[in-house]
Amino acid sequence: MTSETLPPLPPPPPEDPGQEKADQADANNTTAKINQPAITAALSTLERLRSLQSEKEACELFASSLLSHPLGATGAASSSTSAGDAVADSATEAQKNKLEAQDPLHPRSLPGGVRDAWASLTKSSRALNVLAGEVDDMDIDKNDEILSSNTGTITASMIENELAKEKRHENEQYSLNNGQLSIACRTVALKVALERQGELTEIIDKDANNTVKILKKARKAIDDTSNDGAASSLMDSFYERLKEVKQYQSQNPGEAISNVDGLGGGQSSLQSMLLSGQKRKHGHPLADGYDIASLIANETSAVRSGEVFSPEEMFGKYLDLVPLYESEVRYMKHAFADNDGSGGGNNLSSNISYLDFLSILSKGLNTSIPEAGKLRDRRKYARFLRGMEKYLFGFLKRTSPFLNVSSEVIAPAIASFEKEWAAKGGVTGWECRQAEASMVLESNKGKDDGQSANGNDEGVGIDLSKYATSADLEKAVSGDELKSELARLGLKCGGTVSDRAARLFLTKDTPLDKLPAKVFAKKGGGLKNVVPSAKKETSGSDLTEVVADRRVDIARLESIVSSLLDQVRPTLDGTRRRMERRATQTENERDQEIDEEINGTKLDDGNTNKNKTREGEGDSDDDDDEDDTPIYNPKNVPLGWDGKPIPYWLFKLHGLNHFYPCEICGNESYRGRRNFEKHFTESRHAYGMRCLGIPNTKHFHGVTKIEDAQELWSKLKTVLEGNQFDGVEEEEYEDSNGNVIKRAQYEDLARQGLL
């Protein structure tokens, strides 16, 4: 039966104007009896509470689903299967759909709003076309929609395009890859969901009491009007009207709204709806009461566009310490010039490379850099440590958002450092000075309470107000404590105990900027460097920065940076290995590696090989056999960045087929002449020379045997002893007559009184 043969709808019954006016009057009277503000406030509160609770549950569902399915939903079956395998593939697909339906946390089994969040995450995590030079392709669909909306007419191709988009939307695949971009987006999405869930929990708990009061007030208003039947009459009217609406919609399911002119209907409305370019969503934000998809899309799109990570960081896989190396490390001539322990930090011939800088960080700053070099570059080294702390703290916040860096990493490191320093006056890599053991506690008090220009705030250092004279101070305080306090203030700490007490007692009534310059230490840090002139005063922030350049504070900063480096140890080692690979890679190899790291390897390689085999292509078997076959390397050629032996011509060019043993290094063999020449300046060879009691100077460059080194050292000592000045034999004197004689003869004649 077609629509033309359907019987017409019966006309509506005639309306009685008098009855309609009576019903309207009764409704107005009923509404007036009820406290409308109380009911309205209760309904608004319930709707707000429903929206908050729904959004909280949606965030929990999304986070649980993301943790249960880190790679999302599995992709659809390949369309290149043969006709003979269609039945098997359909059975597999049916079984997969059954398993998905049984999993309540599967992306396709979630509510519409949560599926939209998965769709936003999938869109941000899709592969970047790095090799083609495209920075981003997030706005392709948006650009297509803008172009189509500018045409002004609806064509058949537009309708087909819309239908195709609708079909893709219904069969959307929520699959993620194992690339670094996808990992970063998943981390950010999980962070956003859990943080939003925590915020909503706090809001609901905070408004619980107010909600109960509003609902009680509305309940009381309803109870007050329940005796005369006003409330029941109002609800009966509501349900009667709802019944009429449902009945009308069941009889006219496809009918559009009647007031199309007032709501922008008609042909222009249809055209705007088709060409509006609105994003299709499984959920309805207004009806659901939440839109977590927008929150996740904002954060993940920032990650994808490069606003969160720099290109060198590769979405959190590597560290980007190049700016810090260029601005700080290259200008520290003593701290980073010679770190093998042989030169004591005095080799100023060249700066270290970026790769050597990463190696020093991997070994540890406290053991790789001598203390003398750190103190000679005191200010620069402290500024470098502060920059490292700031960068590593931010990097951990971006890559590990659920880690409390301050309480779980930095606080234990500071506690361990203060305990060891207070016991010995030093830590690993720093000389133990018992006189400075108390400085770590004074430094803490200075940070908590602040320091004034005279350095004698209450609770910091020695309270001089208790002593009337310097003699009383000398009797009450030990010499080590006086020395520690003088060093904290930047004053000279030498001399006797009386001198120290008198020097410190000068600061009781005189500010530091009024003291004479002769009482301040000439070298070493302290407050002496900020003594202002008569026209300039020192602010508290400048004073704190200078105090932070003391030996104990530099060591504390170093322990903090070391703890942060230990937290990112795998990332740091990966950054160092990457820099080593780049030295031997071509431009194409680098681009290919970047593409694999960002987008990951393909997860459906097995299905692709199986489909090729079904089509009669046997190359996939050969490829699998080639991958499974062990690497053939009979000449023991070193492996390259791809895990395969380097070319043999390159192996011969660098002389890697020759081994050079060194007995001083414990019979260690070095492959290639370059590595052999380089090892004489490394820490292992320097340690062997120190064990033999021989300085590792240029005279011993090329000596590998212990016997030869000892023989050469004995000859050098003979030459050095022969060149030394002998006062008894070579010192000459002149008598009263002008005769020049040796010192021994002069002393003999003087004893005999013959001069």
Side-chain angles (χ1 to χ4, degrees):
M1 180 180 297
T2 62
S3 59
E4 298 178 354
T5 59
L6 290 174
L9 293 175
E15 298 181 357
D16 187 1
Q19 183 65 28
E20 183 178 358
K21 293 181 180 180
D23 295 340
Q24 184 68 24
D26 294 341
N28 293 335
N29 294 332
T30 302
T31 307
K33 294 179 181 179
I34 299 179
N35 191 351
Q36 290 187 358
I39 301 298
T40 304
L43 294 177
S44 300
T45 302
L46 289 176
E47 176 61 22
R48 179 174 178 272
L49 183 62
R50 182 195 69 85
S51 300
L52 294 176
Q53 193 67 29
S54 300
E55 186 174 1
K56 176 185 173 183
E57 295 175 357
C59 291
E60 293 176 352
L61 272 177
F62 177 77
S64 302
S65 176
L66 187 57
L67 292 174
S68 301
H69 303 276
L71 294 180
T74 56
S78 178
S79 59
S80 59
T81 56
S82 61
D85 298 328
V87 178
D89 290 342
S90 61
T92 304
E93 186 69 20
Q95 184 178 4
K96 183 183 68 173
N97 294 335
K98 183 178 179 180
L99 294 176
E100 292 177 0
Q102 295 176 355
D103 186 4
L105 296 178
H106 195 275
R108 295 194 186 94
S109 303
L110 298 174
V114 185
R115 291 182 64 183
D116 291 334
W118 264 102
S120 299
L121 174 60
T122 305
K123 185 176 181 180
S124 299
S125 303
R126 60 183 177 181
L128 279 172
N129 195 354
V130 180
L131 300 180
E134 295 180 8
V135 178
D136 201 354
D137 56 354
M138 288 284 291
D139 298 330
I140 293 178
D141 296 339
K142 183 177 179 181
N143 294 334
D144 293 342
E145 292 163 356
I146 293 175
L147 291 176
S148 62
S149 62
N150 292 332
T151 57
T153 58
I154 301 176
T155 62
S157 60
M158 293 182 184
I159 297 177
E160 292 178 358
N161 189 21
E162 292 295 324
L163 293 176
K165 289 182 180 180
E166 185 68 26
K167 185 176 180 181
R168 289 198 305 267
H169 175 67
E170 292 298 330
N171 300 325
E172 192 168 7
Q173 302 294 329
Y174 307 103
S175 58
L176 306 175
N177 54 47
N178 58 350
Q180 196 62 32
L181 172 60
S182 179
I183 295 174
C185 289
R186 289 202 303 265
T187 303
V188 171
L190 186 61
K191 169 195 170 186
V192 171
L194 293 181
E195 286 183 351
R196 182 59 180 166
Q197 188 266 345
E199 294 175 0
L200 294 172
T201 302
E202 293 180 0
I203 293 174
I204 294 174
D205 295 341
K206 183 178 180 181
D207 297 344
N209 296 331
N210 189 26
T211 302
V212 173
K213 292 179 181 178
I214 294 175
L215 295 180
K216 286 183 177 180
K217 187 175 181 180
R219 184 62 184 175
K220 182 180 179 181
I222 295 175
D223 292 340
D224 293 342
T225 57
S226 61
N227 297 328
D228 54 1
S232 59
S233 176
L234 181 62
M235 297 306 297
D236 292 342
S237 176
F238 168 76
Y239 284 116
E240 183 179 355
R241 181 59 179 164
L242 179 62
K243 181 179 179 182
E244 293 177 0
V245 172
K246 289 183 177 180
Q247 183 178 2
Y248 180 82
Q249 292 295 334
S250 63
Q251 295 177 357
N252 306 276
E255 186 173 347
I257 56 177
S258 58
N259 190 12
V260 293
D261 296 333
L263 297 177
Q267 177 65 22
S268 61
S269 176
L270 178 61
Q271 180 177 353
S272 62
M273 291 173 61
L274 183 61
L275 301 177
S276 61
Q278 296 180 353
K279 296 180 180 179
R280 292 173 172 80
K281 294 186 176 182
H282 297 283
H284 195 290
L286 294 178
D288 297 338
Y290 61 88
D291 187 13
I292 61 175
S294 299
L295 298 176
I296 294 174
N298 293 336
E299 297 293 334
T300 54
S301 61
V303 173
R304 183 182 180 89
S305 60
E307 299 177 10
V308 179
F309 297 99
S310 65
E312 286 293 327
E313 289 176 336
M314 198 65 66
F315 297 103
K317 188 174 183 179
Y318 303 115
L319 297 175
D320 184 11
L321 299 174
V322 176
L324 199 61
Y325 168 77
E326 294 288 344
S327 62
E328 300 293 344
V329 177
R330 294 184 61 183
Y331 297 99
M332 283 187 278
K333 302 291 185 180
H334 303 91
F336 288 96
D338 182 16
N339 301 308
D340 59 357
S342 60
N346 297 320
N347 183 12
L348 305 180
S349 58
S350 61
N351 294 323
I352 63 172
S353 63
Y354 182 62
L355 182 58
D356 294 335
F357 169 62
L358 294 177
S359 301
I360 290 175
L361 296 181
S362 298
K363 296 176 183 177
L365 291 172
N366 53 350
T367 57
S368 300
I369 305 178
E371 181 182 353
K374 300 175 187 177
L375 296 180
R376 293 190 69 179
D377 286 331
R378 179 188 301 266
R379 296 294 179 82
K380 296 178 181 179
Y381 189 66
R383 188 168 59 246
F384 159 74
L385 291 176
R386 285 191 284 267
M388 283 288 297
E389 179 187 4
K390 181 179 179 181
Y391 172 77
L392 294 175
F393 188 88
F395 184 82
L396 285 173
K397 282 293 184 182
R398 287 175 289 156
T399 56
S400 304
F402 305 107
L403 175 67
N404 192 337
V405 184
S406 300
S407 61
E408 298 181 20
V409 180
I410 296 180
I414 293 178
S416 176
F417 166 81
E418 292 177 351
K419 181 179 180 181
E420 185 176 357
W421 189 280
K424 301 186 299 183
V427 292
T428 304
W430 294 82
E431 181 184 356
C432 294
R433 302 175 184 176
Q434 193 62 37
E436 298 183 5
S438 60
M439 294 181 67
V440 64
L441 302 178
E442 296 168 356
S443 178
N444 289 338
K445 294 179 181 179
K447 288 183 178 180
D448 296 336
D449 303 333
Q451 295 180 346
S452 65
N454 60 8
N456 287 330
D457 287 350
E458 184 180 357
V460 181
I462 300 175
D463 186 8
L464 300 179
S465 62
K466 301 178 181 179
Y467 310 104
T469 61
S470 60
D472 297 338
L473 177 62
E474 179 184 354
K475 295 178 182 179
V477 183
S478 65
D480 290 339
E481 293 178 353
L482 292 172
K483 183 177 180 181
S484 176
E485 180 66 11
L486 290 171
R488 185 182 71 85
L489 298 176
L491 303 177
K492 292 181 179 179
C493 53
T496 62
V497 179
S498 300
D499 297 337
R500 297 176 190 175
R503 197 178 300 119
L504 180 60
F505 197 76
L506 293 175
T507 63
K508 179 179 179 181
D509 300 320
T510 306
L512 289 179
D513 56 345
K514 302 297 182 181
L515 292 176
K518 62 181 181 180
V519 300
F520 290 95
K522 295 182 179 180
K523 294 184 179 180
L527 299 178
K528 67 176 184 61
N529 296 312
V530 295
V531 175
S533 61
K535 298 181 180 180
K536 183 177 179 181
E537 296 182 356
T538 304
S539 63
S541 60
D542 297 337
L543 188 63
T544 303
E545 182 177 356
V546 173
V547 172
D549 292 342
R550 296 178 306 167
R551 182 172 174 269
V552 60
D553 296 298
I554 294 177
R556 179 188 286 104
L557 277 174
E558 190 179 77
S559 66
I560 294 174
V561 173
S562 299
S563 65
L564 294 174
L565 287 174
D566 291 338
Q567 192 67 31
V568 297
R569 182 69 57 187
T571 307
L572 178 60
D573 295 339
T575 306
R576 182 173 54 83
R577 290 193 297 268
R578 185 195 187 199
M579 295 305 300
E580 293 175 351
R581 290 196 304 269
R582 281 192 168 187
T584 58
Q585 283 179 333
T586 63
E587 193 67 27
N588 293 334
E589 290 173 342
R590 291 182 183 180
D591 292 341
Q592 184 178 0
E593 180 182 3
I594 291 174
D595 181 68
E596 291 179 356
E597 288 177 344
I598 293 178
N599 300 324
T601 57
K602 296 182 179 179
L603 300 177
D604 55 347
D605 290 341
N607 296 333
T608 304
N609 293 335
K610 183 175 72 172
N611 295 334
K612 288 183 178 180
T613 305
R614 291 174 180 175
E615 294 174 1
E617 298 181 6
D619 295 339
S620 60
D621 294 337
D622 299 337
D623 295 340
D624 293 341
D625 295 339
E626 182 178 355
D627 295 338
D628 297 337
T629 304
I631 298 176
Y632 180 69
N633 191 12
K635 296 183 179 295
N636 195 21
V637 177
L639 303 181
W641 67 272
D642 56 353
K644 297 181 181 180
I646 63 175
Y648 191 69
W649 64 267
L650 185 62
F651 173 75
K652 295 280 288 183
L653 178 64
H654 291 285
L656 299 180
N657 55 334
H658 298 287
F659 291 87
Y660 300 89
C662 181
E663 186 179 1
I664 298 176
C665 297
N667 294 323
E668 179 71 18
S669 295
Y670 296 92
R671 168 175 269 174
R673 187 70 187 180
R674 182 173 178 271
N675 294 332
F676 175 70
E677 295 289 344
K678 187 179 178 181
H679 99 280
F680 287 106
T681 59
E682 294 178 351
S683 59
R684 183 166 187 169
H685 189 84
Y687 176 75
M689 295 293 287
R690 286 200 302 270
C691 292
L692 296 176
I694 302 174
N696 188 24
T697 60
K698 292 184 178 180
H699 302 87
F700 300 92
H701 189 84
V703 179
T704 59
K705 294 186 178 180
I706 297 177
E707 183 179 356
D708 296 342
Q710 292 175 342
E711 183 179 356
L712 178 59
W713 175 236
S714 62
K715 291 181 180 180
L716 290 175
K717 286 196 297 184
T718 303
V719 174
L720 293 175
E721 291 174 356
N723 294 333
Q724 289 182 353
F725 178 77
D726 188 0
V728 178
E729 296 294 334
E730 299 181 8
E731 192 173 0
E732 296 179 344
Y733 286 81
E734 184 178 356
D735 60 6
S736 58
N737 296 326
N739 299 321
V740 178
I741 57 179
K742 293 184 178 181
R743 176 183 175 181
Q745 296 177 357
Y746 180 84
E747 291 177 351
D748 291 341
L749 293 175
R751 283 193 296 268
Q752 296 175 12
L754 299 178
L755 292 178

